[in-house]
Amino acid sequence: MKQFVLELLFQLMGVTATSGIIYNNQELHLISDESQYFYHYDIESKQLNKTPLTIDGLASEKMNKAAKPDYESITSDGVNFYIFGSGSKPNRNELIEVNRTTKEVISTQDLSILYSSMRSFAQLSEEDFNIEGVILDGNIWYFFNRGNGPKQANGIFVVEGESIIDDFRITYTPIKLPKINKVQSSFTDAIRVDHKIYFLATAEQSNSTYNDGEIKGSLIGRINLKNLKLEKTQIISNTNKFEGLSLYHKDNSTLEFVLCEDADNQEAPAGIYKLTLKR
């Protein structure tokens, strides 16, 4: 994984603090950890639209830290989008389901039972719980805990069952990630590509799931989907904090991803990058 090219595609005005991204058919779908909007950017027409992630249609941008729902993860089953709060505070437990075609909010559900069960099963305190990536693979959900709390507990929750709201089974696998510039890295997003998990991790000079720290860089890594063993990692930046990852193109020799950046600056436009890897 040592051969890679990282390039800035464009900066997206009107969107800040991006935390998740899905690419599909020349359109980017983005969430922000400080906004109640779901953003849609048509690459060809350069048109930006947004969907309020509330049933009543009333939404706010650039919310303060205490009040924000902290949407950190997005995944899709090809029919709907699923947007998750991080669970790092009691007001960050929402699951928003959005129709992929109409981009209308279908439902808003409370994940408090699931998140509480995850913490209990993995013996994590509230200070060590912070979901920042979710993969839906058939009927199996993979939740990636960002280890930026006191215990630096990076790990993967696998959830199966009739409903992730109140009828589920949980397993948990701790994952040891490398340091970047002498600071522990932690999960920020993950996707499935073929039979592998590709993930982003970033390093910040902070031991808090709530407070930001000095950015020390980001890496991409690969995990075996069957046994959840870490296979490879590669530092891709010493300055950027990447929080969103989506597949852009693949062939037999190359993988291309689109990445979105959270610069921890409410005034900075969202940076959208392309990362090219040799398989």
Side-chain angles (χ1 to χ4, degrees):
M1 200 183 286
K2 290 184 179 181
Q3 295 183 356
F4 73 93
V5 176
L6 178 68
E7 54 188 308
L8 176 65
L9 293 180
F10 51 83
Q11 290 184 310
L12 193 53
M13 305 301 294
V15 187
T16 61
T18 47
S19 55
I21 185 171
I22 289 180
Y23 169 80
N24 180 59
N25 194 26
Q26 292 298 304
E27 190 171 25
L28 297 177
H29 306 277
L30 300 122
I31 54 173
S32 164
D33 65 15
E34 64 184 22
S35 174
Q36 289 179 300
Y37 283 99
F38 185 21
Y39 300 92
H40 318 282
Y41 181 71
D42 188 289
I43 296 173
E44 293 182 345
S45 68
K46 299 182 180 180
Q47 182 70 36
L48 177 67
N49 296 301
K50 57 187 180 181
T51 300
L53 291 174
T54 54
I55 297 297
D56 60 12
L58 300 176
S60 299
E61 291 182 291
K62 297 185 179 180
M63 301 180 69
N64 67 61
K65 186 181 288 286
K68 69 180 186 178
D70 202 32
Y71 299 127
E72 291 283 2
S73 307
I74 180 171
T75 190
S76 175
D77 59 2
V79 178
N80 297 318
F81 295 108
Y82 301 91
I83 298 169
F84 295 80
S86 66
S88 57
K89 293 292 178 184
N91 62 316
R92 299 177 175 182
N93 294 337
E94 283 186 333
L95 164 59
I96 311 294
E97 188 175 356
V98 179
N99 183 279
R100 188 163 178 160
T101 302
T102 66
K103 301 180 177 65
E104 295 177 339
V105 173
I106 297 171
S107 68
T108 299
Q109 302 191 69
D110 184 3
L111 294 178
S112 295
I113 295 175
L114 174 65
Y115 283 175
S116 175
S117 299
M118 285 178 169
R119 290 195 302 269
S120 177
F121 187 87
Q123 298 183 332
L124 296 177
S125 68
E126 292 185 358
E127 290 74 21
D128 281 300
F129 188 77
N130 189 16
I131 299 300
E132 294 226 3
V134 178
I135 295 172
L136 175 56
D137 183 19
N139 295 320
I140 303 174
W141 299 81
Y142 298 84
F143 290 80
F144 293 76
N145 190 64
R146 183 178 180 187
N148 59 337
K151 287 186 177 180
Q152 299 181 336
N154 288 295
I156 303 173
F157 292 93
V158 179
V159 181
E160 301 178 74
E162 294 299 319
S163 168
I164 61 171
I165 306 302
D166 56 13
D167 186 4
F168 48 78
R169 301 179 301 279
I170 298 172
T171 58
Y172 177 70
T173 302
I175 304 291
K176 184 174 177 57
L177 296 181
K179 294 183 178 181
I180 303 174
N181 293 318
K182 300 181 180 180
V183 176
Q184 178 61 55
S185 66
S186 53
F187 286 126
T188 54
D189 203 5
I191 59 172
R192 174 184 171 174
V193 180
D194 300 327
H195 300 294
K196 304 291 183 179
I197 293 170
Y198 285 83
F199 67 88
L200 292 174
T202 191
E204 289 184 84
Q205 193 75 56
S206 173
N207 286 323
S208 170
T209 60
Y210 187 77
N211 296 313
D212 296 321
E214 181 183 352
I215 297 169
K216 295 295 185 178
S218 297
L219 62 79
I220 191 166
R222 192 176 77 195
I223 291 172
N224 186 298
L225 186 65
K226 284 188 175 182
N227 57 25
L228 298 184
K229 298 293 186 182
L230 181 64
E231 294 183 340
K232 294 183 178 181
T233 61
Q234 173 66 53
I235 295 174
I236 56 174
S237 173
N238 290 303
T239 56
N240 300 88
K241 178 183 175 183
F242 293 118
E243 292 208 2
L245 176 71
S246 185
L247 183 66
Y248 183 68
H249 174 77
K250 68 175 182 176
D251 56 36
N252 291 334
S253 60
T254 305
L255 293 173
E256 294 181 348
F257 301 93
V258 283
L259 283 61
C260 63
E261 180 183 23
D262 183 355
D264 288 341
N265 181 346
Q266 286 194 330
E267 304 306 319
I272 306 299
Y273 292 74
K274 184 172 78 170
L275 175 66
T276 305
L277 297 178
K278 296 293 184 182
R279 282 184 183 262

